[in-house]
Amino acid sequence: MHGHRPRTPEADRSRRWFMNKALLAGGVAAVATMTGCSSDASATATATASSSSGAPNGAPSGGPGGGMPTGAMPSGGPGGGGNGMGPGQSEVKYTDFKGVSTDGKITDGLYSIHSTDVSTDGIVKAAQAFLDGLSAKERKSCTFDVDNDEWLAWSNVDGYQRKGVRMGDITATKRNLGYALLGAALSADGLTQTRNIMKLNAFLGDYSGGNRETLTEGAYFFTFMGTPSTTEPWGFQYEGHHVAINYFVLGDQVVMTPTFMGSEPTSATYKGEKITLFKTETKAGLTLLRSLTAAQRAKVISSTKKSGDDMKAGAGQDNAKLAYQGLVAKDFTSAQRQHLLDLVRVYVGNMNDGHAEVKMSEVEDHLDATYFYWMGETKDSSAFYYRVHSPVVLVEYDAQSPLAYGTKGGMGGPNGTPTQQHIHTIIRTPNGGDYGVDLLKLHLENDH
């Protein structure tokens, strides 16, 4: 057992209270000034909710760029099902986890314990170095058992009350050890994207004059489940506003799902650096769609309109039931199949290169049973939603309504116009694979 105590009923109530207030206020209307919950955080976490009638969904109006009033920021996404509002909306405990399925029934036999011949030694060493660099108090605050509910307690909300070690509360030397762990676990592109999301989070805080505790580069947290090992199961979670990386390790096998990445805005200049995010994800989706025939597109595109939030499998949706929609790739041409694989690779490729190839082999094995689905228009600049869904991978891309950046289309909700300046993405492993749950079960059944 690890030194960290299980989440208390009081902490559970605090999280549920915050999320329920957000939902009652219409999703967008939750305005938080909550800090992180690292043991070293000095500020007291508080939250308020508003239901002003001055904007759609009760969202407050005014402030820079037509966004929130100075000193306040939205703590959520446009109202909807799986937008990343997180636990408290439909919280699942670890023991109740099933995973995303098409009908509530999990397909067995999809995953196995085997050697990938891709070493995890570097990841283990980097994780241990980070933990060794922490104080005893910091280390206790971020370590949990390998099957702890904390795996599922991530959120996209900026003001959501988090556990773990907050990057802004530790020294630069310790932060660099944390970034070294991310560098070992992620690809170069994955690390760059993660860091850029953090930078644009800080940009949003500067732009709005909003919550400086959460809209900053420092408001991201590490937690560790289990003890870093080359033989025993363990993992880590890195999360904050618009980033949630869940990374499970068993021997030389890695599961890096669910991984949520998003941003608002997706393009801005921060400290003299021009940052543009999700261009590759946008282009890859359009490339696949445009490779289809007119008859195929008619089956893929359900509507040329989309709402402000169409994501189905965000935070808090760990047991989501999501039927296949669109067109299955069984009858795709070889070129179309390659475009589909290229699209999935964009998301899988945030993981370090060797383990990304292992996952892509798994995806390719189920390519004939992979569906592609689309909502929205199809121009380069269009706001659209697409989904790739098979027994072993689920990818969602959703251009959403603006919450706090810019004025076009208002504040989101039913009257807000979605835009590529606010994008949410997620990749999951359906049928019990998220968080490495299926692998852990197999490990405990067969090896212990």
Side-chain angles (χ1 to χ4, degrees):
M1 297 288 290
H2 291 273
H4 202 292
R5 291 175 296 175
R7 198 190 317 159
T8 63
E10 290 77 12
D12 271 340
R13 284 195 294 271
S14 177
R15 292 185 181 206
R16 284 195 292 270
W17 174 88
F18 174 76
M19 297 315 306
N20 289 338
K21 291 288 284 185
L23 291 168
L24 288 171
V28 184
V31 180
T33 55
M34 300 180 73
T35 67
C37 54
S38 146
S39 60
D40 293 337
S42 58
T44 302
T46 61
T48 61
S50 170
S51 56
S52 165
S53 60
N57 268 3
S61 59
M68 305 297 294
T70 299
M73 286 301 302
S75 290
N83 58 54
M85 291 295 286
Q89 183 176 354
S90 55
E91 186 167 3
V92 177
K93 300 295 185 183
Y94 193 94
T95 53
D96 298 324
F97 174 85
K98 291 183 178 180
V100 175
S101 64
T102 59
D103 58 2
K105 299 177 182 178
I106 298 301
T107 302
D108 294 325
L110 292 170
Y111 313 113
S112 66
I113 296 175
H114 60 274
S115 175
T116 65
D117 294 324
V118 181
S119 176
T120 55
D121 289 358
I123 302 168
V124 171
K125 290 177 181 177
Q128 195 59 59
F130 177 70
L131 287 168
D132 287 346
L134 299 177
S135 69
K137 184 179 180 182
E138 290 165 341
R139 191 161 52 249
K140 183 179 180 181
S141 77
C142 69
T143 52
F144 300 81
D145 292 326
V146 72
D147 58 353
N148 195 276
D149 291 343
E150 194 63 27
W151 273 120
L152 284 69
W154 61 271
S155 174
N156 175 56
V157 176
D158 61 298
Y160 184 68
Q161 189 178 14
R162 294 175 167 90
K163 289 184 180 290
V165 170
R166 184 178 184 272
M167 291 290 268
D169 292 342
I170 58 179
T171 66
T173 297
K174 295 174 183 179
R175 279 197 300 274
N176 287 335
L177 289 172
Y179 290 135
L181 169 55
L182 291 178
L186 306 180
S187 65
D189 288 344
L191 178 61
T192 298
Q193 176 133 306
T194 301
R195 292 291 288 115
N196 282 342
I197 291 170
M198 295 167 63
K199 292 174 183 178
L200 289 188
N201 186 50
F203 168 88
L204 186 60
D206 292 341
Y207 167 86
S208 66
N211 188 350
R212 302 309 303 143
E213 289 295 331
T214 60
L215 296 177
T216 172
E217 288 187 69
Y220 293 84
F221 295 72
F222 270 110
T223 54
F224 292 81
M225 276 55 91
T227 302
S229 169
T230 57
T231 57
E232 295 300 310
W234 69 283
F236 72 88
Q237 185 181 80
Y238 185 74
E239 65 127 350
H241 189 212
H242 280 140
V243 172
I245 298 168
N246 290 283
Y247 206 98
F248 175 84
V249 181
L250 176 59
D252 62 6
Q253 290 181 265
V254 167
V255 176
M256 198 178 100
T257 64
T259 289
F260 181 106
M261 292 187 175
S263 189
E264 184 191 18
T266 58
S267 183
T269 298
Y270 176 66
K271 294 185 177 179
E273 179 185 5
K274 180 61 182 292
I275 298 171
T276 300
L277 295 170
F278 303 111
K279 286 182 67 175
T280 305
E281 291 85 349
T282 300
K283 182 178 179 180
L286 287 167
T287 297
L288 172 56
L289 184 78
R290 291 169 179 173
S291 74
L292 303 178
T293 66
Q296 288 174 318
R297 286 197 205 185
K299 294 180 180 180
V300 167
I301 303 174
S302 68
S303 172
T304 58
K305 304 291 184 181
K306 76 175 301 295
S307 70
D309 166 30
D310 292 296
M311 182 169 278
K312 303 301 182 186
Q317 302 299 316
D318 288 303
N319 287 351
K321 298 177 185 178
L322 186 59
Y324 292 128
Q325 290 179 272
L327 185 63
V328 69
K330 182 179 180 180
D331 297 323
F332 279 11
T333 67
S334 59
Q336 291 167 344
R337 291 164 71 90
Q338 187 57 55
H339 289 316
L340 177 56
L341 287 171
D342 291 343
L343 173 55
V344 177
R345 189 182 296 275
V346 172
Y347 296 86
V348 173
N350 286 320
M351 183 164 40
N352 68 41
D353 295 343
H355 292 104
E357 289 304 316
V358 172
K359 179 61 180 180
M360 285 306 301
S361 294
E362 183 178 80
V363 170
E364 193 163 5
D365 287 344
H366 295 269
L367 196 61
D368 282 350
T370 303
Y371 285 75
F372 182 52
Y373 175 71
W374 187 283
M375 285 189 291
E377 297 183 355
T378 61
K379 298 176 182 178
D380 287 354
S381 59
S382 296
F384 49 77
Y385 167 93
Y386 66 71
R387 182 193 311 154
V388 177
H389 190 185
S390 87
V392 298
V393 71
L394 170 63
V395 168
E396 291 187 279
Y397 166 109
D398 192 22
Q400 301 202 336
S401 295
L403 289 181
Y405 182 78
T407 58
K408 291 183 179 180
M411 283 289 296
N415 298 317
T417 302
T419 170
Q420 285 189 20
Q421 278 284 32
H422 188 191
I423 291 174
H424 286 185
T425 70
I426 195 165
I427 179 170
R428 283 186 177 270
T429 306
N431 293 298
D434 280 339
Y435 312 104
V437 171
D438 194 72
L439 290 184
L440 180 58
K441 287 179 180 177
L442 290 172
H443 171 76
L444 294 176
E445 289 171 0
N446 298 323
D447 298 340
H448 285 73

